[in-house]
Amino acid sequence: MNFCYFSQLWPKQSFSAAHERTFGIIERFIHNNIKTYYITPQDKKKAEHIRQYIDLKCHQADPSNTSRVNHVLSRIQSPSVSVFDTHVSECLYSHYVHQVFQNCAKVLDLQDLHSLRLKRENLLTSELMNKEVLKAKPELGDELTDKEMAAIIRSDLIIACSDYEMELIKHLNKKVQLVTFFYPTTRPLDEEDKQAIELKQYHYKRRHFVFLGNMSHRPNYDAVKRLKDKIWPIIVKALPQAQLHIYGSNFPAEFKTDEYNGFICKGLMKEIDILGKYRVMLAPLRFGAGVKGKITDAWREMLPVITTPIGAEGLFLESSQAIKYECVNQIQSKFYSDMEPDRLTPQIRKESLEEENFMKEYYTYDNTEEMAKKLTFGGSFNNWTDEQFADEAIKMYQDEQLWFNAVDNSQKILKRRMDTIVNEKLLMKAISETQTNLASMRRQDILQKLTWSETLRSNYHFAKYLDEKRKNLELTGKLKQTN
């Protein structure tokens, strides 16, 4: 089996949650002895991080250069699976795959719903959180939403990070599988690992608050501004010796270090394990989508998080896909097809279905504040005002037992949701089933057929237009050099 991965750029290690997810998916395919190809329009000079995998074939192919893309695809022997890392990559490359490799399963990695993030941002008010933002849903008719939903419909399988977003798009495409991150939570620990973990567990040895994020990402910019203007003044008044360290890139001029108030901009975080020296992470995210990588990064360093209902979305111990997690954990079989709910004990199956129904009800966001009391999270998330957020941060900083409980919860969530083996099994099972049933699934999916009939015409002609435009520019440049 051959596998193609299409992206707009080469991934960088420790750059973002999306990039970590890319590395995880590629590693799992290589681990299963699947010949893997990575295709992007970006210059190969920026591919240094991905080239560590000697079994990975890297290709540069600008989607506006039809002959180049077709040349690259001609060097690949009948791939069984193609993964597109966003709806943008799917739009740029999927029509080539559809024409050249008709029996290739097209998989869309829904890292987050861009249209959901934008919709939520447009509904922001002066409050930290409000129900309208939380309950917002993408609406057809908006250009971004239409493009994203069309990519979902065209694809044979969707892999989602967040079970909330998984539930949100099921009516468009029932072929959706929850696959989060690939963290080595079950690997055996050597003595050095054990010592590092023990050190991280000391509440009294850790100091200060921290935030991590790229400031060019709108939810991060908004969160830091909220911290600086509204939340941090409350916290530092109660804890005058504490500091808030802001890590990230693309700092705007307005985010200046204020030593007197303990608000310190630190720049890029060179190593993620620096988080292990802090006591609490603050993440007052008022809008956004997908699973928030800064929170899972914090948990990996045993760092509790104070956030909002949007920040915690898709990151509870409880899941709307509970029965699938139980299938992975309870059924010890090397055959992915054997991971079926009817092989679980009646009691486990009953409890899993109850958990799924509870989470589906929670994600309607009708009775959020009351239902949130029953959810397990590695910190505090049910915060609706600046004062409430600050109070929870102060309590977490001071209360050693509360801090230990949050750390314990975070490790349970990582093990259940983010474990490499768990997510590899879920991913490979979903792909195996999609490949096996691809022909029948496509025959029954009328909406997919209609979408492709329109997409192929428009994308084909648009690609031809871009190709001719590129050739004209090259010819113009040569003529200028000659003259």
Side-chain angles (χ1 to χ4, degrees), residues 185-186 317 319 321-333 338-340 343-345 348 352 355 412-423 425-426:
T185 61
T186 55
L317 180 64
S319 170
Q321 294 295 294
I323 202 158
K324 289 192 176 181
Y325 284 129
E326 291 306 321
C327 284
V328 173
N329 292 327
Q330 298 291 328
I331 300 170
Q332 301 299 319
S333 171
D338 289 342
M339 291 161 41
E340 299 299 339
R343 297 189 65 202
L344 297 171
T345 66
I348 291 175
S352 299
E355 182 179 321
K412 290 177 182 175
I413 295 167
L414 287 180
K415 186 169 178 59
R416 188 186 200 197
R417 281 184 172 264
M418 313 291 169
D419 181 70
T420 297
I421 296 173
V422 169
N423 283 294
K425 285 185 176 181
L426 291 172

Side-chain angles (χ1 to χ4, degrees), residues 16 35 39 62 86 148 173 192 216 221 240 247 288 324 332 334 360 406 413:
S16 70
K35 196 170 184 179
I39 301 166
D62 187 338
T86 61
E148 201 162 35
N173 189 318
E192 187 176 338
S216 64
Y221 167 84
Y247 287 90
K324 289 192 176 181
Q332 301 299 319
K334 65 181 180 180
K360 287 173 183 177
I413 295 167

